[in-house]
Amino acid sequence: MDSTTTQLATERAPQSGPHLTGKMGSLGLFFSVMAYNAPMVVVIGIIPIMVATGSGLGTPISFVVAGLILGCFAVGFTRMSKVMPKPGGFYSMITAGLGREVGLGSGLVALLGYFCVYAGTLPFGGIVLGELVHTTMNGPDLPWWVWAAVFWAGSAVLGYFNIELSAKFLTIFLFLEIIIIVGYDFFVFVNGGANHAGISLAPLLPTHWFDGSFGSGLLLALGMYGGFEVTVLFREEVKNPNRVIPRVTFAVIAVAMTIYAVSSLGFINALGIDKAVELAVADPTGSMTGTLVQFGGTVFSDVATILVNTSTFAVILAGHNITARYLFNLSADKIFPRKLSTVHRRHGSPYLASMATSAAGLLMNLIAAIVGLGPLDLYTAALGISSFVILAVIFIASIAVPLYLRKHGARHTAWSRVVFPVLGIIGLGTGLTLAAVNFASLVGGSTVLATALMALILGLFVLGFVMAIIYRRTKPATFSNIGRQ
């Protein structure tokens, strides 16, 4: 066997059960992951909120610290993706490192988190598309669910086909987003900010790091990097995964950290260092829109508004694809009906899992529309669940990865074996603690709702844990396959 054959055998080791196929390259994977993080939505919608209620002037540093924490975790994460070349993402990694009981519990919880990203963003899409059509384009004023149906249909169709088709759409959308974001930063920096006196780097100084609530800022910042698990979740659909996955993982973290930190620095300067927090508190959305018009013009602002819609659709599509693959992997392990792990003969896609995901998303939003639940209420609750859940799964994975690498004697230095994993665990653990303490505010402020949703999350984890114990005794074959093992 020559070296090329050996490498391919390692990269695409035989898997138990069905597996997906594809030829997505580095750029396709990069844009798919970045699109999930929705940089345009972060810059226009999240950064003003972080300045107002989070770290204040220290917002750029919050993004840097969050990026460094995830970078520390990514050292072991990418190494394990080579040592253990199996599909399933965190579900597979946690199972390998901490056992099938914890793995199945984490897999079910992760499925809930990503489904909330997909289905919960649909009503937000209905809001922003409705505003674009009615306010900007003087079109009809229709209920949110009409416009949400447009996003739902688009994700349902694209999710049915090979991941490369979705990647092409996401690449176009994200490329346009980055152009607008870079253009905004360029105009602000060239014009010297609000007073045209030059860009102030004061927000980067330690004296401003703790002006606001550093904990809240860090929690929000960590949530803006949540999609990098996609690099390993799409492993079977990527060319040369051992080479592509590490490259894209670190690229996503680095690019996202740069975009978020620079744009937040630009936004603060666009408002003026002395007035930034005050103006953001008074009107988070309006303060950003005002700077877009001031430094880029009305047309530039209108284009940015359009791209908020494409960015929202990108989140919905990416969330749909991730949910479908989690459902596929759990079905391949016979946790859900095995039929859902059927692979399309022509497209190599998990088309039945994709259709089931679309049906569940449609059902959730139909119920919300029928009972009269406000779209923002649904979006806020779903976003709060997903933020907490995905951070919790990453934290569990940060423990599982070094344990697995140590157990299997993977060669690495003290930095990658001890220092980076410990820093990652401390940082992620801090973020998870903050998320638990502030969970009520994450899901909209209701203590009763927060208690019910936390019970749902913990109950789902316990359910998976107990199911694995039962399978160990009654269905050993199913138990042995948990985590795509």
Side-chain angles (χ1 to χ4, degrees):
M1 182 181 292
D2 59 30
S3 59
T4 302
T5 305
T6 301
Q7 181 184 8
L8 289 173
T10 301
E11 292 190 348
R12 302 193 182 279
Q15 309 295 343
S16 59
H19 59 89
L20 305 171
T21 59
K23 297 180 180 179
M24 186 161 53
S26 297
L27 282 178
L29 183 60
F30 172 81
F31 283 113
S32 294
V33 180
M34 279 298 297
Y36 175 86
N37 288 321
M40 180 62 74
V41 174
V42 173
V43 170
I44 292 182
I46 304 300
I47 286 177
I49 293 173
M50 289 181 66
V51 173
T53 64
S55 303
L57 295 183
T59 295
I61 295 300
S62 294
F63 283 119
V64 172
V65 172
L68 293 176
I69 289 171
L70 292 171
C72 289
F73 166 70
V75 172
F77 170 74
T78 54
R79 185 177 293 271
M80 188 169 177
S81 72
K82 294 181 180 180
V83 176
M84 192 198 76
K86 294 179 181 292
F90 287 152
Y91 165 54
S92 178
M93 289 184 166
I94 292 172
T95 299
L98 295 175
R100 289 171 172 80
E101 294 84 359
V102 177
L104 183 53
S106 300
L108 293 180
V109 169
L111 176 63
L112 171 67
Y114 286 118
F115 175 73
C116 284
V117 172
Y118 158 61
T121 307
L122 285 169
F124 179 75
I127 293 172
V128 296
L129 182 56
E131 289 181 350
L132 174 65
V133 172
H134 178 62
T135 304
T136 305
M137 303 174 66
N138 297 316
D141 184 11
L142 299 176
W144 67 268
W145 49 265
V146 174
W147 305 115
V150 175
F151 285 129
W152 174 84
S155 62
V157 171
L158 291 175
Y160 181 91
F161 296 101
N162 190 286
I163 191 64
E164 294 164 54
L165 180 60
S166 293
K168 290 176 182 177
F169 277 86
L170 294 176
T171 297
I172 295 171
F173 293 155
L174 185 65
F175 183 72
L176 294 174
E177 287 180 50
I178 291 177
I179 289 177
I180 293 297
I181 293 171
V182 171
Y184 170 74
D185 293 339
F186 175 79
F187 292 143
V188 172
F189 278 67
V190 167
N191 285 282
N195 300 318
H196 306 286
I199 296 298
S200 172
L201 300 180
L204 305 181
L205 300 177
T207 52
H208 292 292
W209 293 0
F210 303 98
D211 279 358
S213 171
F214 183 79
S216 297
L218 178 62
L219 174 59
L220 287 168
L222 283 169
M224 301 306 105
Y225 293 84
F228 69 91
E229 181 200 359
V230 177
T231 56
V232 293
L233 193 61
F234 289 169
R235 178 183 185 87
E236 293 179 315
E237 299 162 272
V238 174
K239 294 186 296 185
N240 303 318
N242 281 355
R243 193 176 309 132
V244 169
I245 289 174
R247 182 189 304 164
V248 172
T249 300
F250 285 109
V252 165
I253 294 173
V255 171
M257 182 172 66
T258 303
I259 288 176
Y260 299 157
V262 172
S263 296
S264 57
L265 179 64
F267 172 66
I268 290 170
N269 274 275
L271 295 178
I273 296 295
D274 297 333
K275 298 181 179 179
V277 175
E278 178 185 345
L279 293 173
V281 169
D283 186 3
T285 303
S287 61
M288 173 55 80
T289 303
T291 62
L292 285 170
V293 174
Q294 179 184 353
F295 292 94
T298 303
V299 174
F300 186 86
S301 178
D302 289 342
V303 172
T305 301
I306 293 172
L307 290 179
V308 167
N309 281 266
T310 62
S311 183
T312 301
F313 176 67
V315 175
I316 293 169
L317 178 57
H320 175 281
N321 288 338
I322 297 170
T323 303
R325 278 147 188 81
Y326 255 97
L327 184 58
F328 170 86
N329 284 302
L330 287 162
S331 301
D333 290 346
K334 299 181 181 178
I335 306 304
F336 291 112
R338 185 65 180 261
K339 190 174 180 63
L340 291 175
S341 64
T342 304
V343 180
H344 197 285
R345 292 182 180 179
R346 179 180 176 185
H347 305 301
S349 61
Y351 72 107
L352 290 182
S354 175
M355 292 171 66
T357 298
S358 298
L362 178 62
L363 178 62
M364 175 176 158
N365 281 270
L366 277 176
I367 293 174
I370 291 171
V371 302
L373 183 64
L376 276 180
D377 294 332
L378 177 58
Y379 173 66
T380 301
L383 191 63
I385 294 173
S386 63
S387 298
F388 178 81
V389 161
I390 294 171
L391 182 56
V393 172
I394 295 175
F395 174 71
I396 296 172
S398 73
I399 298 173
V401 167
L403 286 177
Y404 178 88
L405 294 176
R406 181 177 181 181
K407 200 183 309 180
H408 289 77
R411 294 182 180 180
H412 43 214
T413 65
W415 283 95
S416 60
R417 186 178 69 251
V418 179
V419 178
F420 288 130
V422 169
L423 290 174
I425 290 171
I426 292 173
L428 291 167
T430 301
L432 182 60
T433 301
L434 291 168
V437 171
N438 296 283
F439 188 67
S441 62
L442 283 177
V443 296
S446 170
T447 304
V448 174
L449 177 63
T451 302
L453 293 178
M454 184 62 77
L456 170 65
I457 294 168
L458 295 176
L460 203 56
F461 178 84
V462 172
L463 174 63
F465 196 98
V466 172
M467 285 175 63
I469 293 175
I470 294 173
Y471 286 144
R472 182 174 58 191
R473 296 177 180 176
T474 62
K475 297 181 179 179
T478 299
F479 178 78
S480 65
N481 287 332
I482 290 175
R484 301 309 305 273
Q485 303 301 301

